[in-house]
Amino acid sequence: MLSRPLLRFVRDDRRINFMRGRHMGLIVSAVLSIASVILFFQPGLKLGLDFRGGIIVEAQTPGAADFGKLRSALEKAGIHPDAVQAFGSPRDVRISINAPDGADREAQTQKLVDGVKTAISAAEPGTQVLRADAVGASVSSELFRDGLLALGFSLAMILAYIWIRFEREFAISAVITLILDLTKTVGFLAITRFEFDLVMVAALLTILGYSTNDKVVVYDRIRENLRKYRTMPLRELLDLSINETLNRTLGTSMTVFLAALPLALFGGSTLTGFATVMLFGIVVGTSSSIFIAAPLLLLMGEKRLRKGGSTPEAE
């Protein structure tokens, strides 16, 4: 005999009427997504080195870094850094500089890197330069384009998969919900000013994959119940399906959230942004599986899935 789980977020006999607030959920989601699109254009995303081009120098000082002293030394050397910040331990320093203009950019880039090394070594004797990377403007624009293409291609593949796996209404509802999730995450990036680079593209793709899996679980239960309860109104059936999968949805989301939380708290500048965006995406993806995906399905598929339409046959 199977034992009962120690933790259940909702009682098995609890029936929450999620569809009662479906209009408010859709309106709030649409407003937040529109606001996020506006934030994407103004003030816009804070592009990282991968997408705007520039120079990154990472160094390690003998003791705790004095960032004011390092910035002053760079300014005196005629180098105007975009940021001088800590990453990892208090001894680790990351210096970012905008890409140089002019015809001979390669020579100017090397001159800047050499100047940074000289300035920080003079300010903090014994400083070791760990890494120096440069990305040109043409490469950065190509990376930005490829990142957007990767997101678009992922959405297209998700649409195709759910269309084949379920039906047209399920697929369109899922992709619209994922686009809403994606726009809200972009708005979060614009507000928090985390650098948008290839790591953030990976975070967005991960959020898309997680959110898709969450919605497939809910949709799968809806499809099973469409076959099981052939006379139940679609609104009641959606509420039943969400309630039946609610503990699984919340349990999975909490597990992933707790796994990403330490990275957000202790991951340093390299991982903090990625993990924080993941945490936001988990919350948005979970809530949209409950409050957005099902209401959209009710809005788009009520006539075909229930009222005088064909009910999916058992496979």
Side-chain angles (χ1 to χ4, degrees), residues 30 80 104 130 309:
H80 306 287
D104 194 1
L130 305 177

Side-chain angles (χ1 to χ4, degrees), residues 55 57 59 69-81 95 97 106-124 127 129 132:
I55 302 167
V57 177
K69 186 177 181 181
L70 291 173
R71 181 178 286 275
S72 297
L74 291 169
E75 294 285 352
K76 288 180 180 178
I79 300 170
H80 306 287
I95 301 167
I97 307 168
E106 186 175 347
Q108 292 185 53
T109 297
Q110 186 59 50
K111 183 179 178 180
L112 273 174
V113 172
D114 293 339
V116 169
K117 292 179 180 179
T118 302
I120 60 178
S121 296
E124 294 278 0
T127 297
V129 175

Side-chain angles (χ1 to χ4, degrees), residues 59-71 84-87 89-95 120 123-124 127:
Q60 189 175 73
T61 57
D66 186 339
F67 295 97
K69 186 177 181 181
L70 291 173
R71 181 178 286 275
V84 179
Q85 59 190 118
F87 77 101
S89 73
R91 299 170 55 200
D92 296 323
V93 181
R94 175 179 292 166
I95 301 167
I120 60 178
E124 294 278 0
T127 297

Side-chain angles (χ1 to χ4, degrees), residues 195-207:
E195 286 194 351
F196 183 69
D197 51 18
L198 290 175
V199 173
M200 286 305 174
V201 173
L204 293 177
L205 290 172
T206 305
I207 291 169

Side-chain angles (χ1 to χ4, degrees), residues 285-296:
T286 301
S287 60
S288 69
S289 297
I290 299 171
F291 298 106
I292 307 301
L296 278 175

